Amino acid sequence: MFRKKDIIIYSLVLLLAGAAYIIPAAVRHAKPPASYVRVSIDGRIYAEYPIDEPLETVIDGYAGGSLKLVISDGRAYVESSSCPDKICVKHLPVSYTGECIICMPNRIVVEIISDETGQQIDAVS
Amino acid sequence: MNKSAKKARLIALLGIFTALAFILGFIESLIPPFTGIPGVKAGFANIVTMVVLYLPISFGTASAETDQRHGTSGLTPSLSGYLCALGISVVRVLLGGITYNGMSAMIYGLTGAVFSLSVMFLLARIRCFSVTAVSVAGGVTHNIAQLLLAVLMLGNAVIYYLPMLIISGLAAGLVIGLIAAVVIKRLVLIL
């Protein structure tokens, strides 16, 4: 059932498993997927900004309103807005893919999107 | 035994083993997957593959290397044994694919079977390793080959399955190898 030299095969297999665990994680860590901040106004894409470049810009929304979008430290938030309720200003900064800040009066959606969104694992059978 | 009797014996044996592998595969397909990860299963049909690989089977003029019986661990598979095991695996996967497993499982199964059998044959020929260790190497190779095919077909993201698949190949190979070692030890005496 067992022989001394079997240990070579077992240790090789475990080494391989360890490498398979560490190497893709390391590669992923070295090059994180690029994320963008997508701004849409009234359902149409207005602009996309890379999330790792600091930015301050005023965006003109629907019906004469406007808001000030700030991107810093890999996070995006609305600093000020012309809308009456200021829900978008109170919203915490967003940084993860899929998070978004919505300003209804201005009809502006600030959304985090990622390069890898289209590359998700799904089962094929 | 004369030549035609030998031939008939070989054909009968291959038929029995193919049927057995097919049935084992079918029974396993009835067991619901308990891990939730696609591709993780024991692969009981591979017991048959292992047994045939190691049995002193021969065809043509090649003589079976039956003289080197020093228990299970001393048995070395012949090229004939390898070809027979390969034939049985391929037929079993094709039959399984058109009856219960589905076409995509068939393609993955063929890839895994060819690669793992080849690696097992080469390792077994070195004569340093036990049946169990050879089986573990086969199980891991089987899963790696299938995953590489999945990378070709589905893209790089599936590579994150690799550690899980290696460990599951190790576990499956261990179970299959232990069972096969016992069966081979018994069958060598009567075949």
Side-chain angles (χ1 to χ4, degrees):
Chain A
M1 298 268 184
F2 300 104
R3 297 173 77 182
K4 245 184 192 164
K5 284 181 179 165
D6 287 355
I7 206 95
I8 300 172
I9 287 184
Y10 295 133
S11 45
L12 263 180
V13 165
L14 289 177
L15 216 69
L16 211 61
Y21 182 73
I22 293 167
I23 291 172
V27 170
R28 193 186 176 83
H29 190 73
K31 187 177 150 280
S35 291
Y36 298 90
V37 181
R38 174 184 284 171
V39 180
S40 324
I41 302 171
D42 202 16
R44 278 190 297 275
I45 295 170
Y46 167 76
E48 284 179 4
Y49 309 106
I51 199 161
D52 44 7
E53 288 171 25
L55 178 90
E56 275 187 41
T57 181
V58 174
I59 297 165
D60 293 323
Y62 186 78
S66 67
L67 59 73
K68 190 175 183 187
L69 174 71
V70 178
I71 301 173
S72 70
D73 297 331
R75 305 185 308 171
Y77 60 94
V78 177
E79 197 180 76
S80 59
S81 168
S82 66
C83 58
D85 51 20
K86 305 278 189 276
I87 288 176
C88 51
V89 181
K90 289 173 197 155
H91 198 291
L92 289 175
V94 290
S95 57
Y96 295 108
T97 305
E99 282 185 317
C100 55
I101 301 173
I102 299 169
C103 181
M104 284 303 283
N106 283 323
R107 299 202 183 174
I108 291 175
V109 177
V110 177
E111 191 184 3
I112 308 291
I113 56 167
S114 163
D115 269 354
E116 282 207 341
T117 315
Q119 259 206 23
Q120 274 161 1
I121 298 166
D122 61 340
V124 172
S125 64
Chain B
M1 267 196 291
N2 62 38
K3 210 174 161 189
S4 66
K6 258 187 177 172
K7 208 170 167 184
R9 178 177 172 274
L10 180 69
I11 291 171
L13 273 180
L14 291 184
I16 292 169
F17 281 128
T18 308
L20 191 58
F22 180 61
I23 292 296
L24 284 175
F26 176 64
I27 291 172
E28 189 167 39
S29 79
L30 298 178
I31 302 171
F34 51 90
T35 50
I37 306 165
V40 174
K41 56 175 189 168
F44 289 119
N46 293 319
I47 298 172
V48 177
T49 314
M50 286 297 295
V51 169
V52 174
L53 179 66
Y54 272 91
L55 279 190
I57 285 177
S58 74
F59 52 78
T61 51
S63 64
E65 295 165 52
T66 46
D67 295 336
Q68 299 141 344
R69 288 184 196 162
H70 311 293
T72 329
S73 49
L75 202 66
T76 313
S78 59
L79 188 61
S80 304
Y82 168 63
L83 292 176
C84 287
L86 195 62
I88 286 176
S89 296
V90 169
V91 171
R92 186 254 303 171
V93 172
L94 287 178
L95 283 177
I98 54 182
T99 51
Y100 50 78
N101 268 339
M103 282 297 160
S104 97
M106 190 172 94
I107 299 166
Y108 284 101
L110 277 180
T111 315
V114 171
F115 277 90
S116 71
L117 248 180
S118 305
V119 165
M120 288 199 291
F121 177 60
L122 292 176
L123 282 178
R125 290 292 282 192
I126 301 174
R127 300 181 191 198
C128 290
F129 307 115
S130 70
V131 173
T132 313
V134 169
S135 168
V136 165
V140 172
T141 313
H142 182 96
N143 283 2
I144 293 177
Q146 289 193 336
L147 191 88
L148 291 182
L149 182 69
V151 166
L152 287 181
M153 296 192 1
L154 303 175
N156 284 330
V158 286
I159 204 82
Y160 295 105
Y161 273 140
L162 192 54
M164 264 180 283
L165 286 179
I166 290 176
I167 295 301
S168 87
L170 173 76
L174 212 57
V175 172
I176 299 301
L178 287 172
I179 299 174
V182 175
V183 175
I184 290 166
K185 212 155 82 185
R186 306 288 193 282
L187 272 189
V188 157
L189 302 175
I190 58 170
L191 281 181

